[in-house]
Amino acid sequence: MTDPVPVPLPARSVRGTVWALANRFGVVARTPGELVGALTGLGPTGPAVVTRPPGTGVPAEVAELVGALRDLGHIRLVTAPGREPGSGGEAACVPAPEAASATSGAEAAALPDGPGPAAPARPPDLDDPAAVCAADPAAVTAAYECGTGGAHGSGRADGDADGHGDADGHGGGGADGDADGHGGGGADGHGGLRAAWYRAGQSLIREQPPSGRALVLLTALGDDADPRLRPALGALAANAPWRSDWTRVRGDVSPPWPGPVAALAQGTGTWAEHLLVADQRGAIRSVHPADATPAPGTATLPVRITALAPRPDGGLLMLDERGRLHTHGESTLTDAVAATLDAHPGTALAATGTLVLAGDRHGSLHAFGHGGLHQTAAHRGRVTAVAVADGPAPLVCSGGADGTVRIWTPGRGPETTPLAERGFPVTALAVHGRTLAVAWADGLVELRRFGTHKTLALRPGPPVRAVAVTRDGSVVVGTDDSLFRVTARSPR
């Protein structure tokens, strides 16, 4: 039997509470509703929450969240006292007697007593990027929510009540934001820092050096932010392992944000100067990979697109939410793929000039080439992503709901050992040459190099919907509210 592990939560901060719990449970959530939904699927062996009934100063939303977690049934609740803020580091929790009956192996979180560490006696200057990156992130979150700290604090989040638009890209209006839920430099009173903090908060609230927080803020900073912020954050992030190349967030106009991302693809051949971006409604837009400025070529399909696969000859393959193939420029090869997917819907798609790869919900990969069809059972359960590095012996990379990344060369036997394995489903894959980018359901993005065991990690904060690797090895990451490109500083 394992004792519960406490997680100190900033009880006066609704966002801080959601982010801390989501990080502890290995999910990505921006609102109480998203957190409850993510934890609903954990099953009867899910984590336990150690909490004290909210007291004075605790927002009603936090109390409601605790109640909703209790109502799930498989989340075991026990109580524990917390340490008063300012008494030495994070609030500590001592399991109450009820904790002895907690489920074996369960994890636990705790709400501290009373108001909690919402804002210290001297809150950080919320207009100063150096102070924000170096301060206690729970205190920064609470101070932004409460409107304390800085010269121009304001008490309401940009966007809707949760500071986010919906999954299809509709932002709510708010006191500090426009109709798209985009609060910018002048709107949020902190030069755009608060809006960026809210977009990336689940990453920012983690323990990390100030340079790491500066990098993450750069990936979430809007184009209407104070023009002094980007160079200041860039200087602070100089020691981070990644360099921020460009960022486009919801509401940006110069260049425009291309929309919420459902799928990404870096083109080759006639598509070489194109980064294709598909949103949840079926719109496909093209931008230049170097700077995200619009490139010629857009289209809108009457279906939701879940995967894009541009071919060097200018053909474009698309997979819809029903697992059916759509094509721009057909051939005998794609006709065979479409016929197969009509009978056995696909869940993932990739292509080269001579090969089309599809994954299915049973864990199998199907490689269609002019030399015939090759298949392998790669995963336990659904194939969630597939990518292929072209060459004389194409290297197929696949990710699954089973939390593994595997490699396979069609016509050969599958590798028995996963290239990578974690306790979270893979959400996206992209490959170029010997560089592989992997996104996981807990919000982690990894850059890997074939032939080495080295990885470079990045957590942007929001759920990662898609990734792409550019021809020069940079990584493009797409979320519901942002599209950004980063480059590894260290030699790969």
Side-chain angles (χ1 to χ4, degrees), residues 183-400:
D188 79 349
H190 298 288
L193 271 178
R194 186 179 68 167
W197 189 276
Y198 285 167
R199 291 187 187 103
Q202 188 171 333
S203 173
L204 296 167
I205 207 168
R206 288 177 173 269
E207 287 297 324
Q208 59 189 296
S211 60
R213 290 200 180 96
L215 171 70
V216 173
L217 282 168
L218 280 170
T219 69
L221 196 67
D223 70 352
D224 60 349
D226 187 321
R228 296 170 294 184
L229 279 181
R230 191 164 292 279
L233 288 169
L236 291 169
N239 293 327
W242 298 90
R243 181 188 74 235
S244 173
D245 297 328
W246 49 257
T247 298
R248 304 289 173 258
V249 302
R250 181 187 297 276
D252 277 3
V253 295
S254 181
W257 175 60
V261 178
L264 285 175
Q266 165 65 61
T268 61
T270 58
W271 291 104
E273 299 302 321
H274 298 256
L275 177 69
L276 299 178
V277 185
D279 69 17
Q280 293 96 330
R281 293 183 166 185
I284 301 173
R285 297 176 177 86
S286 177
V287 301
H288 292 291
D291 55 11
T293 54
T298 60
T300 300
L301 299 180
V303 294
R304 291 174 179 256
I305 300 300
T306 60
L308 292 171
R311 305 185 70 196
D313 62 3
L316 177 61
L317 309 183
M318 297 149 283
L319 197 67
D320 69 21
E321 62 183 343
R322 297 177 60 194
R324 307 296 176 84
L325 187 72
H326 298 261
T327 64
H328 170 74
E330 298 186 13
S331 68
T332 303
L333 177 60
T334 55
D335 289 344
V337 178
T340 299
L341 296 186
D342 281 344
H344 304 283
T347 58
L349 184 71
T352 69
T354 59
L355 198 65
V356 177
L357 272 299
D360 65 28
R361 61 189 177 90
H362 300 294
S364 295
L365 296 174
H366 311 270
F368 300 85
H370 295 296
L373 172 64
H374 298 279
Q375 298 173 302
T376 186
H379 298 274
R380 299 184 306 275
R382 182 185 181 94
V383 177
T384 55
V386 64
V388 57
D390 204 359
L395 186 65
V396 176
C397 305
S398 61

